[in-house]
Coordinates of all heavy atoms in Angstrom, one line a residue:
N534 N -40.8 -13.1 4.5 CA -40.0 -13.1 5.8 C -39.2 -11.9 5.9 O -38.2 -11.6 5.1 CB -39.0 -14.3 5.8 CG -39.8 -15.6 5.5 OD1 -40.7 -15.9 6.1 ND2 -39.3 -16.3 4.6
P535 N -39.5 -11.0 6.9 CA -38.6 -9.8 7.1 C -37.2 -10.3 7.5 O -37.0 -11.4 8.1 CB -39.3 -9.2 8.3 CG -40.7 -9.6 8.2 CD -40.6 -11.0 7.7
I536 N -36.2 -9.5 7.2 CA -34.8 -9.9 7.6 C -34.7 -10.0 9.1 O -35.2 -9.0 9.8 CB -33.9 -8.8 7.0 CG1 -33.7 -9.0 5.5 CG2 -32.5 -8.9 7.6 CD1 -32.8 -8.0 4.8
L537 N -34.0 -10.9 9.6 CA -33.7 -11.0 11.0 C -32.4 -10.3 11.3 O -31.3 -10.7 10.8 CB -33.7 -12.4 11.5 CG -35.0 -13.3 11.3 CD1 -34.8 -14.6 11.8 CD2 -36.2 -12.6 11.8
K538 N -32.4 -9.3 12.2 CA -31.1 -8.6 12.6 C -30.5 -9.5 13.7 O -30.8 -9.3 14.8 CB -31.5 -7.2 13.1 CG -30.3 -6.5 13.6 CD -29.2 -6.1 12.6 CE -28.2 -5.2 13.2 NZ -27.1 -4.8 12.3
T539 N -29.6 -10.4 13.2 CA -29.1 -11.4 14.2 C -27.5 -11.2 14.2 O -26.9 -12.1 14.9 CB -29.5 -12.7 13.8 OG1 -29.1 -13.0 12.4 CG2 -30.9 -13.0 14.0
N540 N -26.9 -10.3 13.5 CA -25.5 -10.0 13.7 C -25.2 -8.6 13.2 O -26.0 -8.1 12.3 CB -24.5 -11.1 13.1 CG -24.7 -11.1 11.5 OD1 -24.3 -10.1 10.9 ND2 -25.1 -12.2 11.0
D541 N -24.1 -8.1 13.5 CA -23.9 -6.6 13.2 C -23.6 -6.4 11.7 O -23.6 -5.3 11.3 CB -22.6 -6.2 14.0 CG -23.0 -6.1 15.5 OD1 -24.1 -6.0 15.8 OD2 -22.0 -6.2 16.3
D542 N -23.3 -7.5 10.9 CA -23.0 -7.4 9.6 C -24.3 -7.2 8.8 O -24.2 -6.8 7.5 CB -22.3 -8.6 9.0 CG -20.9 -8.7 9.5 OD1 -20.4 -7.6 10.0 OD2 -20.3 -9.8 9.5
I543 N -25.5 -7.5 9.3 CA -26.7 -7.3 8.6 C -27.3 -5.8 8.9 O -27.5 -5.4 10.0 CB -27.8 -8.3 9.1 CG1 -27.3 -9.7 8.8 CG2 -29.1 -8.1 8.5 CD1 -28.1 -10.8 9.5
N544 N -27.4 -5.1 7.8 CA -27.9 -3.8 7.9 C -29.4 -3.6 7.7 O -29.9 -4.1 6.6 CB -27.1 -2.9 6.9 CG -27.6 -1.4 7.0 OD1 -27.7 -0.8 8.0 ND2 -28.0 -0.8 5.8
I545 N -30.1 -3.0 8.5 CA -31.6 -2.8 8.4 C -31.8 -1.3 8.5 O -31.6 -0.7 9.4 CB -32.3 -3.6 9.4 CG1 -32.1 -5.1 9.3 CG2 -33.9 -3.2 9.4 CD1 -32.9 -5.9 10.3
P546 N -32.2 -0.8 7.3 CA -32.4 0.6 7.3 C -33.5 1.2 8.1 O -34.5 0.5 8.5 CB -32.7 1.0 5.8 CG -33.3 -0.4 5.2 CD -32.6 -1.4 6.0
D547 N -33.5 2.5 8.5 CA -34.6 3.1 9.2 C -35.9 3.0 8.4 O -35.9 3.1 7.1 CB -34.3 4.5 9.4 CG -33.1 4.9 10.4 OD1 -32.8 3.9 11.1 OD2 -32.6 5.9 10.4
G548 N -36.9 2.7 9.1 CA -38.3 2.5 8.5 C -38.6 1.2 7.9 O -39.7 0.9 7.2
Y549 N -37.5 0.4 7.9 CA -37.7 -1.1 7.3 C -38.9 -1.8 7.9 O -39.7 -2.3 7.0 CB -36.5 -1.8 7.4 CG -36.6 -3.2 7.1 CD1 -36.5 -3.6 5.7 CD2 -36.9 -4.3 8.0 CE1 -36.6 -4.9 5.3 CE2 -37.1 -5.6 7.5 CZ -37.0 -5.9 6.2 OH -37.1 -7.2 5.8
A550 N -39.1 -1.8 9.2 CA -40.1 -2.7 9.7 C -41.5 -2.2 9.2 O -42.4 -3.1 8.9 CB -40.2 -2.5 11.2
E551 N -41.8 -0.9 9.1 CA -43.1 -0.4 8.6 C -43.2 -0.8 7.1 O -44.3 -1.1 6.7 CB -43.1 1.2 8.8 CG -43.2 1.6 10.2 CD -42.0 1.5 11.0 OE1 -40.8 1.3 10.4 OE2 -41.9 1.8 12.3
K552 N -42.2 -0.6 6.4 CA -42.2 -0.9 5.0 C -42.4 -2.3 4.7 O -43.4 -2.7 3.8 CB -40.9 -0.4 4.3 CG -41.0 -0.2 2.8 CD -39.7 0.4 2.3 CE -39.8 0.7 0.8 NZ -38.5 1.3 0.3
A553 N -41.8 -3.1 5.4 CA -42.0 -4.6 5.2 C -43.4 -5.1 5.7 O -44.0 -5.9 4.9 CB -41.0 -5.4 6.1
A554 N -43.9 -4.5 6.7 CA -45.3 -4.8 7.2 C -46.4 -4.4 6.2 O -47.2 -5.1 5.9 CB -45.6 -4.2 8.5
D555 N -46.1 -3.2 5.7 CA -47.1 -2.7 4.6 C -47.1 -3.6 3.4 O -48.1 -4.0 2.8 CB -46.8 -1.3 4.2 CG -47.2 -0.3 5.3 OD1 -48.0 -0.6 6.2 OD2 -46.6 0.8 5.4
F556 N -45.9 -3.9 3.0 CA -45.8 -4.8 1.9 C -46.5 -6.2 2.0 O -47.1 -6.6 1.1 CB -44.2 -5.1 1.5 CG -44.0 -6.0 0.4 CD1 -44.1 -5.6 -0.9 CD2 -43.8 -7.4 0.6 CE1 -43.9 -6.5 -2.0 CE2 -43.6 -8.3 -0.5 CZ -43.7 -7.9 -1.7
I557 N -46.2 -6.8 3.1 CA -46.8 -8.2 3.4 C -48.4 -8.0 3.4 O -49.1 -8.8 2.8 CB -46.4 -8.7 4.8 CG1 -44.9 -8.9 4.8 CG2 -47.2 -9.8 5.2 CD1 -44.3 -9.3 6.1
I558 N -48.9 -6.9 4.0 CA -50.4 -6.8 4.0 C -50.9 -6.6 2.6 O -51.9 -7.2 2.1 CB -50.7 -5.6 4.9 CG1 -50.5 -5.9 6.3 CG2 -52.2 -5.2 4.7 CD1 -50.5 -4.8 7.3
D559 N -50.2 -5.6 1.7 CA -50.6 -5.3 0.4 C -50.6 -6.7 -0.5 O -51.5 -6.9 -1.3 CB -49.8 -4.3 -0.1 CG -50.1 -2.9 0.5 OD1 -51.1 -2.7 1.2 OD2 -49.2 -1.9 0.4
S560 N -49.5 -7.4 -0.2 CA -49.3 -8.6 -1.1 C -50.4 -9.6 -0.8 O -50.9 -10.3 -1.6 CB -47.9 -9.2 -0.9 OG -47.0 -8.3 -1.2

Side-chain angles (χ1 to χ4, degrees):
N534 308 306
I536 288 178
L537 303 181
K538 174 69 173 176
T539 54
N540 68 61
D541 293 337
D542 293 341
I543 298 173
N544 178 50
I545 296 181
D547 292 341
Y549 170 83
E551 290 77 7
K552 197 172 182 180
D555 288 338
F556 175 83
I557 291 171
I558 292 168
D559 291 344
S560 300

